[in-house]
Amino acid sequence: MECQKIINFGNQLLRRKNVDCAREDSRLSRCLNTFDLVALGVGSTLGAGVYVLAGAVARENAGPAIVISFLIASLASVLAGLCYGEFGARVPKTGSAYLYSYVTVGELWAFVTGWNLILSYVIGTSSVARAWSATFDEIIGQHIEEFCKRYMKMDAPGVLAKYPDIFAVVIITILTGLLIFGVKESALVNKVFTCINILVLGFVMVSGFVKGSIKNWQLTEQDIYNTSHGTYGDNQTQEEKLYGVGGFMPYGLKGVLSGAATCFYAFVGFDCIATTGEEVKNPQKAIPIGIVASLLICFVAYFGVSAALTLMMPYYQLDTNSPLPNAFKYVGWDGANYAVAVGSLCALSTSLLGSMFPMPRIIYAMAEDGLLFKFLAKVNEKRKTPIIATVTSGIIAAVMAFLFDLKDLVDLMSIGTLLAYSLVAACVLVLRYQPEQPNLAYQMARTTEETDNNESVSTSESQAGFLPEEEEKCSLKTILCPPNSDPSKFSGSVVSISTFIIGFLIVGSCILTALEPSVLIKAIWIIAAILVLVVSFVIWKQPESKTKLSFKVPLLPLLPVVSIFVNVYLMMQLDLGTWIRFAVWMLIGFIIYFTYGIWHSVEATYAASADAERNTDVGSES
């Protein structure tokens, strides 16, 4: 009896969401097109980091080879982007990684994902709002900071900020009002700011190629010594060694890879596109195209700006805080700094909107499913926006921006985002090899705008192959040479277990590396890599689902496995303090889930009604 209770409880934690996308019952407004999604993804991803990050990484990590660092980082990001793209085609509903986890690996994992995405977006919104305020204050001569420090100083170092940031609160309030007013209006404002940002970055790239010199990619150690010697005097022998050996890769391959790890975070943000599933006219095509196109545009921008910077002036003279103004001053174009200032404010504005836009939609999706308080799912009937969720998220972000210096919390954003990326990659791997789904959620989605019978996504072929199947016996031959060409319950279970094993091996190896990098760990890495390859081969041998989709991740199972590895490895590089804060946040989340969510889950209600019907049928038969 006790065992049965434990099994039932486990089933509750792992119950999966059934979504019927063929039904048009969305309470949100379908008004966004592909261009809106590309602008949203570019605006969210291509934030103020492009104006700062390139200088810091080029000077301290990669030199002119920063362009290769951005290339590697973009490829790693595209892996996650492709996984999001396939799920956008499969389940075009509001919820992003939260929903994708819910339909694949179960309720508890979905709650963990959604809860961490909320944290990521709250911290992202608050920190970008403070950065917007600081940038604007610097342009006007730091009058706001001086006034606040004089009259509103907060004396709580390590807990609160030096002064309350009223201007950041005003910015968040304005954007919250804009998001409540309507998604179409928000998308229009985002497009305007994103276009201005792209124009400014285009100007930076052209300026770099006009005023730059290829000699700055061909510097020698003697050039570095002469510049350092002339600037700092005879005591600079140790300092100049910090700048590498000159040439295109002054810090070697290790520096390029180190720079790529930092540059990876520059591509975080595209996932906000996946939260718009119920507000896009043709989500099956628009979401995958929007994700891939936005990542491509961002890569071109980062690549171009970093190339322009390192061509304009020697990499070791770049300013790590404001590289572009410093570079324009170096080439005698001081007036260009006004364009850079406008571009950076526009970039911060789109980045802020990109953080604020998905947050209420995640909250709305979780509240709609009963995992968060139901009143948060209220939608404004006139504007078709999740009004309570938007106001709540705006208030929380405004309070955090007002009181806290968020530098210590920014790394928490990375955990939430990387965890979501990892789960989505794992979900793609699992779902591609599963047998017939319980409803049309994974094969078909129609919109009010588009009900073309010739749509590339169809279910006729995928449904045709499903016949009652014989029970398959577990053997090495059955695992390596499945008798069926269509997925079965057994082959689906093999893939699920194999994915779990791969995840365990990757997480274990990354944890050991983070704790004790040594020769022994290298041997463990080799063993783990061989085992991952063997298990991946087992997955590859299983029959794939023949469901037609408008977009599919290529090269399964390789790309999702590599994506999981990259994301987990980056997570394990975060410090202990960040993981302690993460544990505290998760404790709060589990209290909410186990005291409210698990009992009010919509899926629990469906399960209870199904059990009641089954009992009624049994009673009537007897």
Side-chain angles (χ1 to χ4, degrees), residues 441-462:
Y442 312 99
Q443 293 104 7
M444 185 173 184
R446 293 182 186 139
T447 68
T448 53
E449 299 287 329
E450 197 161 328
T451 54
D452 185 1
N453 290 332
N454 295 323
E455 182 73 49
S456 63
V457 181
S458 73
T459 61
S460 56
E461 290 185 29
S462 62

Side-chain angles (χ1 to χ4, degrees), residues 505-561:
L505 289 170
I506 290 174
V507 171
S509 301
C510 290
I511 290 174
L512 288 174
T513 304
L515 293 176
E516 188 65 41
S518 65
V519 177
L520 177 63
I521 298 302
K522 289 181 180 178
I524 292 174
W525 264 106
I526 294 170
I527 295 169
I530 293 170
L531 290 174
V532 166
L533 287 174
V534 170
V535 178
S536 298
F537 176 77
V538 170
I539 294 176
W540 179 69
K541 292 293 291 182
Q542 306 310 307
E544 273 192 51
S545 169
K546 292 182 174 59
T547 302
K548 283 189 177 180
L549 293 170
S550 57
F551 180 83
K552 282 187 174 183
V553 177
L555 299 177
L556 251 69
L558 179 62
L559 291 192
V561 169

Side-chain angles (χ1 to χ4, degrees), residues 371-559:
L371 302 189
L372 290 180
F373 309 109
K374 200 70 180 177
F375 71 91
L376 294 169
K378 180 178 173 58
V379 172
N380 185 303
E381 294 300 326
K382 184 179 179 182
R383 296 293 175 186
K384 302 288 185 183
T385 54
I387 182 169
I388 302 297
T390 304
V391 170
T392 303
S393 56
I395 290 171
I396 295 170
V399 169
M400 291 192 71
F402 184 71
L403 295 175
F404 299 107
D405 187 356
L406 299 161
K407 289 177 183 176
D408 293 335
L409 298 179
V410 168
D411 280 345
L412 272 177
M413 289 172 55
S414 304
I415 289 185
T417 304
L418 293 170
L419 178 65
Y421 285 3
S422 303
L423 275 174
V424 170
C427 290
V428 165
L429 196 55
V430 170
L431 200 54
R432 184 76 76 84
Y433 294 92
Q434 296 306 308
E436 180 184 10
Q437 304 300 337
N439 54 48
L440 299 182
Y442 312 99
Q443 293 104 7
M444 185 173 184
R446 293 182 186 139
T447 68
T448 53
E449 299 287 329
E450 197 161 328
T451 54
D452 185 1
N453 290 332
N454 295 323
E455 182 73 49
S456 63
V457 181
S458 73
T459 61
S460 56
E461 290 185 29
S462 62
Q463 300 285 348
F466 292 111
L467 297 169
E469 56 185 50
E470 294 181 13
E471 187 102 14
E472 293 180 63
K473 293 181 180 179
C474 181
S475 67
L476 188 62
K477 182 181 177 182
T478 314
I479 292 172
L480 295 179
C481 301
N484 300 322
S485 59
D486 291 313
S488 63
K489 285 185 178 180
F490 178 77
S491 67
S493 299
V494 168
V495 172
S496 299
I497 294 168
S498 299
T499 303
F500 175 79
I501 292 171
I502 288 173
F504 179 79
L505 289 170
I506 290 174
V507 171
S509 301
C510 290
I511 290 174
L512 288 174
T513 304
L515 293 176
E516 188 65 41
S518 65
V519 177
L520 177 63
I521 298 302
K522 289 181 180 178
I524 292 174
W525 264 106
I526 294 170
I527 295 169
I530 293 170
L531 290 174
V532 166
L533 287 174
V534 170
V535 178
S536 298
F537 176 77
V538 170
I539 294 176
W540 179 69
K541 292 293 291 182
Q542 306 310 307
E544 273 192 51
S545 169
K546 292 182 174 59
T547 302
K548 283 189 177 180
L549 293 170
S550 57
F551 180 83
K552 282 187 174 183
V553 177
L555 299 177
L556 251 69
L558 179 62
L559 291 192

Side-chain angles (χ1 to χ4, degrees), residues 132-406:
W132 204 108
S133 174
T135 303
F136 180 78
D137 194 27
E138 192 172 335
I139 292 171
I140 63 173
Q142 296 188 323
H143 296 302
I144 297 175
E145 182 178 352
E146 290 174 6
F147 176 84
C148 290
K149 279 185 174 179
R150 182 178 300 176
Y151 298 105
M152 305 173 68
K153 188 175 181 180
M154 295 191 296
D155 193 14
V159 180
L160 301 177
K162 293 178 181 177
Y163 61 91
D165 200 331
I166 299 173
F167 199 67
V169 174
V170 171
I171 297 162
I172 291 175
T173 304
I174 291 171
L175 285 183
T176 301
L178 177 65
L179 289 170
I180 292 172
F181 192 73
V183 65
K184 190 67 179 175
E185 292 76 10
S186 305
L188 178 62
V189 172
N190 180 70
K191 280 189 285 190
V192 171
F193 283 130
T194 299
C195 288
I196 296 172
N197 185 23
I198 293 292
L199 287 173
V200 171
L201 294 177
F203 166 74
V204 170
M205 285 183 249
V206 172
S207 303
F209 297 135
V210 170
K211 297 293 289 184
S213 171
I214 196 68
K215 290 180 181 177
N216 287 324
W217 283 14
Q218 301 169 342
L219 297 168
T220 64
E221 283 187 272
Q222 189 61 41
D223 293 326
I224 299 172
Y225 173 80
N226 291 340
T227 307
S228 303
H229 189 77
T231 307
Y232 300 101
D234 293 333
N235 298 322
Q236 191 58 22
T237 52
Q238 288 299 318
E239 186 71 23
E240 64 218 16
K241 290 179 183 177
L242 297 175
Y243 301 136
V245 296
F248 182 69
M249 294 174 62
Y251 300 97
L253 182 61
K254 186 178 180 181
V256 172
L257 295 177
S258 172
T262 305
C263 293
F264 178 84
Y265 296 108
F267 292 92
V268 167
F270 68 84
D271 53 311
C272 68
I273 293 175
T275 64
T276 63
E278 292 180 39
E279 294 163 290
V280 187
K281 293 176 182 176
N282 185 14
Q284 283 182 299
K285 289 183 178 177
I287 290 176
I289 292 172
I291 289 172
V292 175
S294 61
L295 283 173
L296 179 62
I297 292 169
C298 291
F299 164 66
V300 171
Y302 282 122
F303 186 95
V305 169
S306 57
L309 265 176
T310 50
L311 285 170
M312 275 198 281
M313 67 184 297
Y315 69 89
Y316 56 87
Q317 290 185 322
L318 287 169
D319 190 307
T320 55
N321 294 319
S322 53
L324 285 175
N326 187 251
F328 279 118
K329 186 176 181 181
Y330 183 85
V331 297
W333 281 19
D334 289 22
N337 290 338
Y338 294 106
V340 172
V342 171
S344 61
L345 284 180
C346 287
L348 283 165
S349 300
T350 57
S351 184
L352 183 57
L353 195 59
S355 293
M356 291 190 68
F357 184 88
M359 180 167 38
R361 280 147 185 83
I362 297 291
I363 295 172
Y364 162 79
M366 294 180 73
E368 184 88 330
D369 291 333
L371 302 189
L372 290 180
F373 309 109
K374 200 70 180 177
F375 71 91
L376 294 169
K378 180 178 173 58
V379 172
N380 185 303
E381 294 300 326
K382 184 179 179 182
R383 296 293 175 186
K384 302 288 185 183
T385 54
I387 182 169
I388 302 297
T390 304
V391 170
T392 303
S393 56
I395 290 171
I396 295 170
V399 169
M400 291 192 71
F402 184 71
L403 295 175
F404 299 107
D405 187 356
L406 299 161

